[in-house]
Structure formats: structure tokens, C-alpha cells
Amino acid sequence: MTTHPAAVSVRNVTKTYASGFTALQPVDLDIRSGEIFALLGPNGAGKTTLIGIICGIVNATTGVVLADGHDVVTDFRKARSKIGLVPQELTTDAFETVLATVTFSRGLFGKRADPAYVEKVLRDLSLWDRRNSRIMTLSGGMKRRVMIAKALSHEPRILFLDEPTAGVDVELRRDMWQMVRGLRASGVTIFLTTHYIEEAEEMADRIGVINGGRLLLVEDKAALMRKLGTSHLVVTVRQPLAEIPAALAKFDLALAAGGTELVYSYDAHADDNGLAALLHALNGSGLAVANLRTHDSSLEEIFVNLVHKSP
Ligand SMILES: Nc1ncnc2c1ncn2[C@@H]1O[C@H](COP(=O)(O)OP(=O)(O)O)[C@@H](O)[C@H]1O
Ligand SMILES: [Mg+2]
């Protein structure tokens, strides 16, 4: 017995659909108990397929998944009882009230009625005041909250949110983020998928990047930013350049913006980032510099680079 088993453990999972299309190459992944894990990838990357397999809705072609230590195939009911799933598509019973649908959902998992727990969930999601409203009368944002309340109705340990903020407005996205953090604070492990880099950057403790069915990397967010992050110095010159001036040849520079920008990329954490030498050389080069600016590499660039390089 280990004291801190992974909340979810995925081993050698692949998926080839009946059409013959392979949506997942062998995936190995552990989700740590209590973390917010963001699976980041463009549309069609395989995110929903992986969530479906973990939640026991899609059959893996190969591999094993344990949720809270239970095999999601051979021990489906136990595994499923530990999992809450908020699917990508909103599916709710339009004519039911909020309270009824969440209470019913809990019953589906064979949990005894617990009005106090259901009330807490609805209050936490700011749904309590609307508990007697029919779902069809609610706004899209409120409907999403109802989906989350349903997913939490049976007190799962791990909550899956499949693209929770796709197509929602900025305000609702911020609310959603706050809500997710609150859930994590209450001890729920969170696995979310997103194609918004900003969302992964904002929310995640760890980030997995998936593209074309391949899990390209899984990394601590902070480490990812440090390891792959680079900074850039952009030098704007008054006259467009056809090539890098000889005086600057020893620096690793690139021309951009039709020759009006020289871009120097450097490791912001290096002891000697070469900036001092470059500025000195620039000064002696006779170039008419119009502007200097720096910017840090973002997760966006890291992501674009990765996805670009993968087949
Ligand atoms: N039932 C299916 N049959 C065949 N191909 C599918 C099926 N479901 C999904 N796919 C394909 O698998 C790939 C991954 O889909 P999906 O997991 O939904 O990606 P994501 O959620 O990252 O957008 C896509 O190319 C999609 O068209
Ligand atoms: Mg999807």
C-alpha cells in the first residue's frame, strides 16, 4: 500500500476508433491527488477521448486506467463513484428544477439522500437561490453551473471538466476559474481540458500538452515556464536591413518585420545573457536604433513551438 496513490493513473492507453482512426498514441500519465491538471491541446488532439476513457465512457484499445486505485473497466462502479464528469456538451433535463436534477443525480450513484450536502454544493456554485427554477429558464452560464453541481452530487474525489470555458464570455470564465480553485481548496482533484493557453497558464499546477493523439509533455507549470521560457530583445532600426550587419554577426540574431527589427533571444535566467555585449556592439555598429523592447516567452510560444514540431 502506498500512502499517496495517484488520483488517476493512465498506463499505455491507446485508442483506435472503429473507423480505424487512431486518436491516442500510447499515453502514460499520473494525476496527483489535490492538483489542478490542465490538458492543453488544439481541437481534435484527443482530449475528450482521453477523458472518456478515464471516466469509463470510451473503451481504450490498449492500456489500463486506475481512478483512486480502481480499474475503470474491471471495477467500473467503484471507479466511477470517485469521478465527477462535466462533459463538453451541455446536457440537462430542461424541465427539471435545479434541486431535483442534482438530487436525482446523486441517487443515480446509489448515494443516500443528503440534503445538507446538496445545499452546500448549490450554495458554493451560487445556485441556491435558483434551486426551484426549471433549468430551461436559466442562462447558459447558470446551466454550466448546474452541470458542475450534478457532477459533484455524489461527492467525487476527482472532477473532470472538459473544456469548461469554451465559448463562454470573459466574466463567466473568471467565475469558473474561481469556482475551480474553490473546489480544489475543498480537496477535489481537478482535471480540465482546454484549448486556451491562457486558461492552462492561469489555472494549472501542472500542464500536459497533447497534439495529434500524442502527449508531448507533462510538466509542472512553473518549471515549464522556466525551462522553455526565453526572453527576447527586439531592436527596431530606422532603415530596413537586408541582412544582419557584420558587426553583429557573432550574436544569434534574427531579422523580423521586413528588416526593421533585430530580434535577440536569450535565456532570462542565465548568468551571462549576452545583453551587455550586444548593446555595446549595437552602439558601435552605427545603426540608427529607433526603439528597444523586451518581451518574455509565454506558454503560447512554447505551445506553438511544440505543436509545430510534432507531426
Ligand atoms: N467516435 C469516433 N469515431 C471516429 N473518430 C473519432 C470519434 N470520436 C472522436 N474521433 C476523432 O478522434 C480525434 C480526437 O477527438 P477528441 O478526443 O474529441 O479531440 P479533442 O477533444 O481534443 O478535440 C479527432 O480527430 C476526432 O475526429
Ligand atoms: Mg473535446
Side-chain angles (χ1 to χ4, degrees):
M1 280 246 295
T2 45
T3 39
H4 294 290
V8 177
S9 134
V10 176
R11 287 291 171 273
N12 191 38
V13 163
T14 65
K15 176 64 186 180
T16 300
Y17 280 108
S19 63
F21 180 79
T22 297
L24 287 180
Q25 306 287 342
V27 173
D28 288 282
L29 176 64
D30 279 340
I31 305 302
R32 296 173 188 158
S33 203
E35 75 174 339
I36 297 180
F37 181 86
L39 185 62
L40 175 66
N43 286 326
K47 303 182 296 297
T48 298
T49 300
L50 184 57
I51 279 201
I53 289 170
I54 296 171
C55 295
I57 292 163
V58 174
N59 292 319
T61 305
T62 67
V64 175
V65 177
L66 305 182
D68 211 26
H70 306 288
D71 188 303
V72 301
V73 176
T74 61
D75 202 2
F76 173 74
R77 288 180 65 85
K78 271 222 177 86
R80 189 62 182 85
S81 73
K82 305 292 187 175
I83 288 173
L85 170 62
V86 183
Q88 196 167 351
E89 311 298 334
L90 296 179
T91 52
T92 46
D93 335 272
F95 293 96
E96 289 281 6
T97 67
V98 171
L99 183 60
T101 203
V102 175
T103 303
F104 177 72
S105 192
R106 180 177 170 90
L108 282 181
F109 284 90
K111 287 284 225 181
R112 63 172 177 75
D114 187 344
Y117 175 75
V118 171
E119 176 173 343
K120 182 184 181 309
V121 168
L122 294 182
R123 283 193 186 281
D124 286 352
L125 294 169
S126 308
L127 283 169
W128 184 244
D129 291 346
R130 303 302 302 272
R131 64 190 177 280
N132 294 318
S133 302
R134 287 182 179 205
I135 289 163
M136 62 187 183
T137 66
L138 301 177
S139 68
M142 284 294 200
K143 283 181 185 144
R144 257 172 214 276
R145 288 165 192 264
V146 174
M147 298 288 291
I148 296 174
K150 275 177 73 174
L152 291 172
S153 66
H154 59 287
E155 299 170 61
R157 302 300 305 146
I158 313 151
L159 184 66
F160 291 83
L161 296 155
D162 196 1
E163 307 241 6
T165 64
V168 311
D169 62 37
V170 174
E171 202 176 333
L172 184 58
R173 185 170 300 166
R174 302 243 158 234
D175 281 3
M176 190 74 74
W177 289 349
Q178 208 173 344
M179 223 156 54
V180 168
R181 287 199 187 93
L183 289 171
R184 194 259 304 265
S186 74
V188 178
T189 302
I190 308 279
F191 182 120
L192 65 88
T193 71
T194 184
H195 62 266
Y196 298 119
I197 291 156
E198 187 205 8
E199 186 154 75
E201 199 163 349
E202 172 78 25
M203 292 295 298
D205 299 311
R206 284 195 309 150
I207 294 175
V209 176
I210 189 170
N211 188 41
R214 266 176 236 276
L215 191 58
L216 300 173
L217 73 84
V218 174
E219 190 102 50
D220 209 70
K221 181 179 65 185
L224 182 63
M225 311 300 284
R226 254 198 322 274
K227 191 162 126 189
L228 297 173
T230 359
S231 294
H232 309 279
L233 172 72
V234 182
V235 180
T236 309
V237 292
R238 295 200 187 277
Q239 299 294 327
L241 299 168
E243 55 188 17
I244 310 280
L248 302 175
K250 67 172 173 149
F251 299 95
D252 188 13
L253 293 169
L255 277 180
T260 57
E261 288 181 356
L262 284 164
V263 182
Y264 176 61
S265 301
Y266 60 96
D267 179 353
H269 305 280
D271 287 337
D272 178 12
N273 55 28
L275 275 179
L278 174 64
L279 290 174
H280 184 74
L282 258 180
N283 206 15
S285 71
L287 279 178
V289 173
N291 190 29
L292 287 178
R293 67 190 152 86
T294 61
H295 73 92
D296 294 332
S297 184
S298 64
L299 183 57
E300 169 141 22
E301 288 172 66
I302 294 168
F303 178 62
V304 169
N305 279 336
L306 268 172
V307 167
H308 232 68
K309 271 189 279 177
S310 70

